[in-house]
Amino acid sequence: MSSIRMRTTDILVIGCGAAGMAAAAAAASCGAKVMLADDRDRPGGILPQCVHSGFGLGRYGNEMTGPEYSEEEFRRLEKTSAVYLPGTRVLEIRPDRTALAAGYGEITEVTFSECVIASGCTEKPLWSLPVTGTRPEGIYTAGEAQELIELGGCDVGDRIFILGSGDIGQIMARRFCQLGKTVISMAEIRDHLGGLKRNQEDCIKAYGIPVMLSSTIIEIHGYPRLSGVTVYHLDTDRYEYVECDTLITALGLLPDRSLAEGLEHGGRYPEWLHFCGNADYVHEIADGASAQGEKLGRELAGKLIHRKEV
Ligand SMILES: Cc1cc2nc3c(=O)[nH]c(=O)nc-3n(C[C@H](O)[C@H](O)[C@H](O)COP(=O)(O)OP(=O)(O)OC[C@H]3O[C@@H](n4cnc5c(N)ncnc54)[C@H](O)[C@@H]3O)c2cc1C
């Protein structure tokens, strides 16, 4: 049976994505003792699966892919004294400023002065919508599909229907075309496309992706594999059956604050608990998540140094 290992740090950062790396690097550069835990066995959070370019323009002045941006940020982190714990999941944050983490067969209790939650976000699943029918294989959130394709080398399907027209849906639509798949259509409940203008141009227009506006999916068909969806066109009050073998949902992202559950009192979190990156609010651009993390890291190190001096 493994015993609990005790560790102490000034700042515990949870999540080694764009936000967490920047927060940890900035705080450590300013003299704080920093520990950075991430449940994945490699750094970067969502960045390594974003193989397209469009990262780093604000922060580095040139366009990079997600993996390149991640490597650059990790290089910055490695130059500092911050202790990086890969493959380590923080299970619980307690009101007495301790956190319980598990990784590599070891349970660690970390005592900290400040805690930064940079745990990213979760994707809204299809089943959060009023959709009936079967629950077959062939349905993925855009992030899941991206990870399976780019990091897992998997083939998720051939005839793709995309629900939701935000940036992630548009980027995945382009990626499927590049892979030689057929993107049958993208449906959007609003009467206009979501996402950044640049993605609308580079992904939807450039690849001629058919778009159904004012439309949503109301029924799933096929079992064990998806065979089609029923689309409801709100503007014309019409139903349409569309054949497909893969459904990609891009329904939006929600900040993941699950670790902070139970720590909120009267709508306020303890003064030692902080959020940054997508765990705070959804950042369209990674540079924004890094900048926010960096600012927070510097402020927390300053706060600690001031406290020690007093
Ligand atoms: C498909 C897609 C395309 C994008 N395209 C662009 C683009 O072209 N240009 C651009 O600038 N931005 C783009 N972005 C946005 C950008 O990638 C994100 O805003 C940014 O990377 C988010 O960083 P983060 O650190 O907040 O979260 P994440 O990268 O999600 O990192 C959070 C980390 O925390 C870990 N974690 C969670 N819970 C725990 C726990 N309990 N214990 C330990 N670790 C935990 C997670 O595993 C993860 O590694 C894109 C995003 C997506 C999804």
Side-chain angles (χ1 to χ4, degrees):
M1 204 179 81
S2 66
S3 57
I4 296 186
R5 182 172 175 193
M6 311 301 274
R7 300 182 82 148
T8 304
T9 188
D10 288 338
I11 303 175
L12 172 65
V13 180
I14 303 163
C16 187
M21 282 194 279
S29 306
C30 294
K33 191 176 166 193
V34 180
M35 205 170 274
L36 169 60
D38 194 289
D39 53 5
R40 303 183 201 226
D41 54 10
R42 45 102 188 130
I46 201 155
L47 293 167
Q49 70 188 61
C50 299
V51 297
H52 56 280
S53 65
F55 293 80
L57 254 181
R59 199 159 161 82
Y60 294 101
N62 60 319
E63 253 191 85
M64 303 167 161
T65 62
E68 285 166 353
Y69 184 87
S70 175
E71 280 161 25
E72 199 54 50
E73 291 295 313
F74 192 61
R75 264 195 288 276
R76 283 189 179 200
L77 178 72
E78 280 185 313
K79 286 185 190 145
T80 72
S81 59
V83 177
Y84 166 50
L85 305 174
T88 303
R89 182 164 187 81
V90 175
L91 307 170
E92 187 185 5
I93 304 172
R94 301 170 179 148
D96 63 353
R97 299 197 199 201
T98 59
L100 208 60
Y104 297 107
E106 196 175 71
I107 303 282
T108 307
E109 187 181 288
V110 185
T111 302
F112 57 81
S113 298
E114 304 287 334
C115 178
V116 175
I117 298 185
S119 51
C121 56
T122 57
E123 294 176 279
K124 275 189 213 163
L126 175 68
W127 314 113
S128 64
L129 301 182
V131 176
T132 60
T134 55
R135 290 195 168 206
E137 63 183 78
I139 301 176
Y140 306 90
T141 64
E144 278 168 4
Q146 190 181 48
E147 186 169 0
L148 284 169
I149 294 167
E150 311 301 357
L151 301 181
C154 303
D155 183 352
V156 300
D158 295 313
R159 294 176 55 75
I160 322 286
F161 192 95
I162 298 179
L163 181 62
S165 74
D167 290 314
I168 310 179
Q170 295 185 23
I171 286 166
M172 286 311 289
R174 174 177 65 187
R175 189 68 181 123
F176 281 116
C177 292
Q178 290 168 344
L179 291 169
K181 309 293 185 183
T182 307
V183 178
I184 295 163
S185 191
M186 168 180 272
E188 166 58 54
I189 198 161
R190 290 171 298 179
D191 61 3
H192 58 277
L193 275 180
L196 298 170
K197 236 219 123 67
R198 124 181 141 195
N199 285 332
Q200 294 175 8
E201 292 292 330
D202 297 352
C203 304
I204 304 301
K205 282 201 188 138
Y207 285 82
I209 311 281
V211 176
M212 298 172 170
L213 294 176
S214 304
S215 303
T216 188
I217 286 176
I218 56 150
E219 194 171 352
I220 304 294
H221 303 271
Y223 196 84
R225 180 79 195 191
L226 178 73
S227 58
V229 294
T230 300
V231 177
Y232 174 53
H233 301 286
L234 285 84
D235 48 354
T236 52
D237 196 21
R238 202 167 45 83
Y239 298 91
E240 181 183 356
Y241 177 78
V242 181
E243 235 178 71
C244 59
D245 63 24
T246 307
L247 172 62
I248 302 295
T249 58
L251 301 171
L253 305 170
L254 299 167
D256 178 5
R257 293 183 161 212
S258 49
L259 274 174
E261 270 167 27
L263 293 171
E264 191 185 349
H265 291 291
R268 294 173 74 101
Y269 289 104
E271 44 82 30
W272 47 262
L273 189 64
H274 315 271
F275 299 91
C276 72
N278 284 353
D280 187 23
Y281 62 91
V282 174
H283 292 254
E284 280 171 351
I285 303 290
D287 304 48
S290 300
Q292 190 198 19
E294 199 163 76
K295 183 166 175 283
L296 179 63
R298 252 189 260 117
E299 281 169 6
L300 293 183
K303 184 175 161 187
L304 284 164
I305 289 161
H306 176 71
R307 198 183 291 157
K308 279 177 189 164
E309 281 169 1
V310 169

